[in-house]
Amino acid sequence: MNPLTILTLAAGAVVSVLIANDWRFSLAAWVIAAVIALVTGKPRKTFLGATAISLPAFLGFTLMYGPFGREPWWGIMTRDGMQIALSLGLRFLAATTIGLTIGCFVDLDRLMRSLQTRAPAKLVYVLGSTFRLYPMAKARVDTIRQIQATRGIDVHSWSARWGVILPLIVGLVDDAAQRARPLGRTGIGNAGRRTILRPVPDRLIDHLIRIVVVVGVVAVAIVAV
């Protein structure tokens, strides 16, 4: 499947949850994300992480809306205020989990290759560099820690952790400088049509799925209104 199709599915699911503004729809989206994570196994950690970061949102919505309703319920909490907090919390939970769970299936390399023929080259380079910044930084941190370990430094100490920052920044800046000259030779700033050696297939089924997703989002918006 084309990565743009997967990205469209993720975006469509998030937008649908936000537009629907219904706790039952949000709960159904969260259950779908849980089933995807459980069956496929690949996005399981992402699903659990997205669920975990949604807990503070529940707490925040409870503090913001719980005490300020009109129907007394328990202590300072109000029934209608808690209903609003629960609805907003579920919507945040569903949008986060369904978007990140489906988004885990996007292959960044295939996505960048697919965008090369559709978007300006400079924009694709900026997006690709942003997406790859974390794995590149993580790999360099691992290298720095290995060097520290060979020198007999305790890599778990705070001084060693602080000692990673400067070499990491210098290394990332040096990597960017090393890539600048080859990029200039490829003519990244020149205008014209782009071609790639191994294009990502964009079949008819991908087009149909993207159209169905857009139509589905529009239908959800119409029903919600």
Side-chain angles (χ1 to χ4, degrees):
M1 183 179 291
N2 191 285
L4 289 176
T5 304
I6 302 175
L7 200 61
T8 303
L9 286 170
V14 172
V15 173
S16 297
V17 169
L18 297 178
I19 291 177
N21 193 21
D22 185 274
W23 68 270
R24 291 162 295 189
F25 192 95
S26 299
L27 185 60
W30 181 81
V31 171
I32 292 173
V35 171
I36 294 174
L38 183 63
V39 172
T40 61
K42 180 179 179 180
R44 191 172 300 171
K45 291 183 178 180
T46 302
F47 171 79
L48 294 176
T51 302
I53 64 175
S54 299
L55 296 179
F58 270 100
L59 179 60
F61 290 134
T62 300
L63 295 176
M64 284 189 291
Y65 295 98
F68 303 107
R70 297 181 179 180
E71 302 176 12
W73 179 52
W74 183 71
I76 63 172
M77 296 299 175
T78 59
R79 188 180 304 276
D80 51 339
M82 287 302 299
Q83 289 176 349
I84 296 174
L86 179 62
S87 176
L88 291 175
L90 279 175
R91 185 163 53 161
F92 181 85
L93 171 67
T96 304
T97 52
I98 194 69
L100 293 178
T101 300
I102 298 177
C104 277
F105 295 96
V106 176
D107 188 315
L108 292 180
D109 290 331
R110 285 167 53 86
L111 177 61
M112 291 300 103
R113 283 192 284 132
S114 181
L115 288 176
Q116 282 182 16
T117 57
R118 293 177 169 87
K122 292 183 179 180
L123 176 61
V124 175
Y125 172 71
V126 171
L127 291 175
S129 300
T130 303
F131 290 146
R132 291 187 175 90
L133 181 61
Y134 174 74
M136 289 173 59
K138 186 176 183 299
R140 184 163 288 275
V141 167
D142 293 339
T143 302
I144 295 172
R145 286 184 173 178
Q146 289 175 3
I147 295 173
Q148 289 178 337
T150 58
R151 295 172 57 191
I153 300 175
D154 183 9
V155 295
H156 299 292
S157 64
W158 283 105
S159 59
R161 293 177 181 178
W162 281 108
V164 170
I165 297 176
L166 183 59
L168 174 63
I169 295 175
V170 173
L172 292 176
V173 172
D174 182 68
D175 287 342
Q178 294 294 333
R179 291 194 302 269
R181 185 173 297 176
L183 282 172
R185 291 176 179 174
T186 60
I188 189 172
N190 298 337
R193 184 174 178 270
R194 299 281 167 176
T195 58
I196 54 178
L197 180 62
R198 296 179 179 177
V200 180
D202 194 11
R203 298 168 296 180
L204 177 61
I205 186 65
D206 290 301
H207 290 276
L208 293 177
I209 291 175
R210 292 198 289 266
I211 292 173
V212 169
V213 170
V214 174
V215 172
V217 172
V218 173
V220 171
I222 294 174
V223 173
V225 173

